[in-house]
Amino acid sequence: MTFNRRTFLGSAAVTAGLLAAPMVRAQGKPRVVVIGGGAGGATAARYIAKDSQGAIDVTLVEPTRTYYTCFFSNLYLGGFRDMQSLGHSYGTLAAEYGINVVHDWAVGVDRDAKTVTLAGGSSLPYDRLILSPGIDFVDGAVEGWDLSSQNAMPHAYKGGSQTELLKAQIMAMPQGGTYAMVAPPNPYRCPPGPYERISMVAHTLKEVNPTAKILIADPKENFSKQPLFEEGWSDNYTGMIERIGPDFGGANVAVDPLAMTLSIDGDVNNVDVCNVIPAMKAGRIAEIAGITEGNWAPVNAADMSSKMDENIHVLGDAAAQGDMPKSGFSANSQAKVCANAVRGALTGSTVFPARFANTCWSLIDTNDGVKVGATYEATAEKIAKVDGFVSQTGESDDLRAATYQESIGWYDGIIADMFG
Amino acid sequence: MLARLLIVVFLGAAGISHAEVGGDAENGERLFRQCSGCHQVGEGATDRIGPHLNNIFDRPAGAAEDFRYSSGFQRAASGGLVWTYDTLDDFIENPRRLVSNTRMSFRGLSDQKDRDDLLAYLRQFSASPGNIPEAAPTAVAVDHEVAPEVLAIIGDPAYGEYLSGECTSCHQPSGATEGIPSITNWPADDFVVVMHAYKEGVRAHPVMQMMAGRLSNEEIAALAAYFESIE
Ligand SMILES: Cc1cc2nc3c(=O)[nH]c(=O)nc-3n(C[C@H](O)[C@H](O)[C@H](O)COP(=O)(O)OP(=O)(O)OC[C@H]3O[C@@H](n4cnc5c(N)ncnc54)[C@H](O)[C@@H]3O)c2cc1C
């Protein structure tokens, strides 16, 4: 979803009508405003509303009416899911949990007055503000690419239309053509995501375009689950995938979206699809709120509160929290800790100690699932890793198939946990 | 050279001594009558209500050809459960501790001596001695049961509800079971037994071992109380 003028104008009228009633009802009750209805925000809103049983007034601000998950979007590229199965609406959160869902962009935060300004012009007062806006891209991260190039060279690193565009481009590749990916530097959303994507693109190409090539320019020495992916690539997609790491100039790239070229260390490659995943930063509203340091928003691990403002909490990808990877699972886990703390602060309910967990599944080929996970706790300084595991190379087919089945169960589980 | 020789001699000795300290196969045969309603073992044994038990030692769980296993068994099997002296010992002690929803309706043999005897009987029907563990696990009596005082802890459902957030990222409260089993409405005792089995690494699943690994006895009781209570 791009941040453009049409979205603002289009949503303004709808918003004005929606807001009137909840604002009146809100008086007297503590008010929580959540910005961003994704893995972090939807979970936080739902848990606060569910557990406070009406004692807290919860407003969720999210511009889109259907949230398309990034998780499993690679499976869509591989032909294992359809786009519809990745889309989820906010109807249950509004109807069953009494959350005021406002479809608009937050464009400003006044931390002194404790209000959020919406693109539609209205403003929302809060006692606690929760920000879970996901990511935006660092300007100028990849030479030759900016947001206006995303139609020619999609990132597909936000869900929905970008993912569909990328798939359409892959399907339209000439026989024997080249799919290129510019992989992002750390830290970024979903560490195994680009490499699961390579696997899924290879799976599709093997079926429809078996002589096609995949070229990855990667600024990182190593990447998540590398031995597992590399084993799978050489077993299943032999000779198809070439990855150029920093030793060979993988960090020194430039693109030309008009000429459809990718140059790596000065070598110009003509490519048919160029999936540019630039360096990332916290969703822009975090910066606008003035709670970022560098690209991310630092938080206290115990309750995910901003280190700059105790009335603001930051969840998910946007937060600089320590050891957790930026994943949907992590955002969901952090949201529950935050919800418990916010509810305690506003209603006096018991606040239990923070505990976090993450598991990320990836699909390499049909029924070939792998996973990596860890548990975490809050220290004074950061979210610190306690214990972890990762799938092994050479595992049995049965175990890999069971791991894939498990990931399907997880998807349904987290969706139910986010949207009710 | 000398060192290697010594090791060989030592292993040989351990193998022999295990055979000697192992259970009483004759008594095991008597105990097997409790099993023979469903399982056959020995020459000509075939699958009945339960799979045949020839060569059960070192066989991956759920691997008897043509036998239709329960979903709980299929799950345990895909998690890498292999029948060794230790895992068989655990399973016979309390089947549901190792495999949820197994159709094996057997309450278990709580006496270690009985289990040793039964296993001594069964292992005669496994290609021996190669695939029988040389070390003598029965030399150290491992207490696999959850201690009664741990089972007796009354969990705080409110704390359990908070902790359950760690479960519901994957396990759906609705009771859906695709890919990931349901844990809703589980009897609290079963819940506690199973979580301790993960915590001690008796059950194989890495995510669950990790999640259970850092839960205290009180926290497991709290979760059990909560999951038993929800609709
Ligand atoms: C290809 C890919 C595969 C992935 N696979 C996995 C996986 O298998 N497992 C996993 O756990 N994670 C996975 N992830 C990562 C996961 O998608 C993210 O980590 C997760 O969505 C982060 O949650 P969040 O709440 O921080 O942000 P998001 O889920 O992105 O939600 C942010 C929301 O905020 C809204 N928003 C932004 N700005 C504003 C504003 N100003 N006003 C109002 N609303 C705003 C956006 O519209 C969006 O809906 C994957 C990601 C990608 C790209």
Side-chain angles (χ1 to χ4, degrees):
Chain A
M1 168 61 64
T2 43
F3 198 92
N4 65 28
R5 198 161 175 79
R6 181 169 302 153
T7 317
F8 287 174
L9 297 175
S11 53
V14 184
T15 308
L18 271 177
L19 275 180
M23 293 273 283
V24 175
R25 205 175 65 212
Q27 285 189 354
K29 279 190 202 172
R31 291 157 305 196
V32 170
V33 173
V34 181
I35 299 179
T43 308
R46 176 169 167 266
Y47 270 74
I48 293 172
K50 166 171 87 70
D51 294 340
S52 72
Q53 296 172 345
I56 296 176
D57 194 79
V58 183
T59 300
L60 177 61
V61 183
E62 164 60 50
T64 66
R65 284 168 187 278
T66 304
Y67 175 81
Y68 287 97
T69 59
C70 280
F71 29 105
F72 275 28
S73 66
N74 289 327
L75 275 63
Y76 162 78
L77 297 177
F80 294 92
R81 297 289 283 223
D82 58 32
M83 190 43 86
Q84 209 191 334
S85 76
L86 305 181
H88 309 281
S89 81
Y90 297 89
T92 309
L93 290 183
E96 276 181 32
Y97 295 88
I99 296 168
N100 313 314
V101 181
V102 177
H103 289 298
D104 201 353
W105 288 95
V107 292
V109 175
D110 183 335
R111 283 161 46 192
D112 296 326
K114 295 213 265 180
T115 56
V116 173
T117 314
L118 302 182
S122 47
S123 93
L124 295 171
Y126 65 81
D127 295 300
R128 290 289 171 121
L129 174 63
I130 297 175
L131 288 183
S132 194
I135 51 122
D136 273 304
F137 299 109
V138 174
D139 290 336
V142 174
E143 194 186 325
W145 193 93
D146 63 23
L147 268 188
S148 72
S149 327
Q150 69 175 356
N151 289 336
M153 294 188 166
H155 51 79
Y157 235 64
K158 298 187 181 188
S161 55
Q162 272 280 304
T163 318
E164 282 180 309
L165 175 63
L166 182 63
K167 173 113 188 212
Q169 292 185 353
I170 292 165
M171 298 314 277
M173 275 169 63
Q175 290 297 309
T178 300
Y179 165 99
M181 171 188 282
V182 177
N186 289 320
Y188 61 95
R189 149 178 288 187
C190 193
Y195 310 98
E196 180 188 54
R197 173 169 298 170
I198 292 297
S199 311
M200 291 294 96
V201 171
H203 177 85
T204 292
L205 289 175
K206 195 174 162 181
E207 275 174 13
V208 302
N209 191 348
T211 54
K213 294 279 177 235
I214 294 177
L215 175 64
I216 313 163
D218 201 332
K220 301 181 295 298
E221 211 66 74
N222 298 106
F223 60 88
S224 171
K225 302 188 224 180
Q226 184 164 359
L228 297 166
F229 282 116
E230 288 181 345
E231 176 191 52
W233 294 348
S234 78
D235 288 355
N236 305 331
Y237 312 120
T238 319
M240 193 181 234
I241 301 166
E242 183 188 4
R243 173 172 171 269
I244 299 179
D247 299 356
F248 295 92
N252 180 20
V253 297
V255 296
D256 183 338
L258 287 177
M260 282 307 285
T261 58
L262 162 64
S263 57
I264 304 176
D265 221 14
D267 267 359
V268 179
N269 302 273
N270 290 309
V271 298
D272 300 292
V273 176
C274 195
N275 177 198
V276 177
I277 311 176
M280 294 168 206
K281 61 179 185 181
R284 191 170 327 163
I285 190 70
E287 198 179 325
I288 292 170
I291 54 164
T292 51
E293 199 179 270
N295 288 333
W296 310 100
V299 295
N300 299 302
D303 59 359
M304 302 303 291
S305 61
S306 161
K307 290 202 167 160
M308 323 248 175
D309 186 330
E310 60 180 6
N311 295 314
I312 301 185
H313 301 251
V314 187
L315 304 176
D317 294 352
Q321 31 71 16
D323 296 349
M324 294 184 87
K326 297 184 186 301
S327 73
F329 199 122
S330 295
N332 169 265
S333 169
Q334 293 159 9
K336 289 179 255 192
V337 168
C338 172
N340 182 254
V342 164
R343 194 161 61 89
L346 296 179
T347 67
S349 65
T350 317
V351 178
F352 296 108
R355 47 197 303 131
F356 307 94
N358 176 60
T359 299
C360 283
W361 286 264
S362 301
L363 187 61
I364 297 177
D365 200 347
T366 308
N367 280 326
D368 190 0
V370 292
K371 61 189 170 187
V372 58
T375 50
Y376 305 84
E377 65 186 21
T379 66
E381 171 207 348
K382 63 171 184 175
I383 297 184
K385 178 170 166 177
V386 178
D387 187 18
F389 71 87
V390 58
S391 296
Q392 303 296 306
T393 51
E395 285 173 342
S396 73
D397 293 352
D398 282 358
L399 180 54
R400 290 293 177 87
T403 302
Y404 172 54
Q405 286 306 317
E406 201 175 275
S407 73
I408 296 171
W410 164 75
Y411 186 90
D412 295 344
I414 192 174
I415 291 303
D417 212 31
M418 289 165 64
F419 296 105
Chain B
M1 190 57 182
L2 187 63
R4 183 172 303 165
L5 201 72
L6 281 176
I7 289 170
V8 171
V9 168
F10 175 76
L11 279 177
I16 292 162
S17 75
H18 184 214
E20 283 170 0
V21 298
D24 169 0
E26 249 170 67
N27 188 41
E29 181 169 10
R30 204 179 46 76
L31 288 165
F32 188 73
R33 287 185 208 138
Q34 301 177 57
C35 319
S36 58
C38 302
H39 293 282
Q40 292 190 345
V41 71
E43 218 184 311
T46 55
D47 294 341
R48 298 266 298 269
I49 296 171
H52 76 80
L53 300 178
N54 289 344
N55 282 318
I56 185 75
F57 280 83
D58 271 5
R59 181 162 97 191
E65 257 174 57
D66 301 332
F67 185 76
R68 278 196 47 229
Y69 287 94
S70 63
S71 62
F73 238 100
Q74 287 168 15
R75 195 186 302 283
S78 64
L81 178 63
V82 173
W83 292 127
T84 63
Y85 201 100
D86 270 348
T87 53
L88 282 168
D89 186 46
D90 246 309
F91 186 65
I92 296 170
E93 182 180 25
N94 178 358
R96 69 201 163 141
R97 172 171 147 96
L98 214 53
V99 183
S100 300
N101 307 320
T102 170
R103 285 195 293 263
M104 180 157 130
S105 56
F106 179 59
R107 70 183 188 312
L109 279 180
S110 59
D111 186 77
Q112 179 76 56
K113 167 91 173 55
D114 284 350
R115 295 199 301 276
D116 286 342
D117 293 352
L118 183 62
L119 289 174
Y121 171 68
L122 285 178
R123 60 194 275 179
Q124 297 175 350
F125 305 101
S126 282
S128 62
N131 62 356
I132 290 176
E134 299 294 342
T138 49
V140 196
V142 195
D143 186 3
H144 296 298
E145 269 306 347
V146 176
E149 59 272 23
V150 173
L151 271 180
I153 298 173
I154 303 201
D156 168 9
Y159 188 31
E161 180 168 12
Y162 168 69
L163 292 171
S164 76
E166 289 211 320
C167 314
T168 54
S169 296
C170 300
H171 297 274
Q172 296 184 59
S174 69
T177 58
E178 203 203 343
I180 290 187
S182 165
I183 52 175
T184 302
N185 277 330
W186 233 8
D189 275 7
D190 279 16
F191 192 101
V192 172
V193 163
V194 166
M195 290 302 277
H196 282 278
Y198 283 121
K199 194 174 156 81
E200 289 152 30
V202 176
R203 280 190 175 219
H205 198 274
V207 179
M208 287 309 303
Q209 285 184 356
M210 180 181 80
M211 301 307 291
R214 67 163 172 173
L215 292 170
S216 67
N217 294 344
E218 285 71 24
E219 287 167 341
I220 289 177
L223 280 166
Y226 172 67
F227 278 109
E228 190 178 50
S229 74
I230 55 177
E231 300 289 295

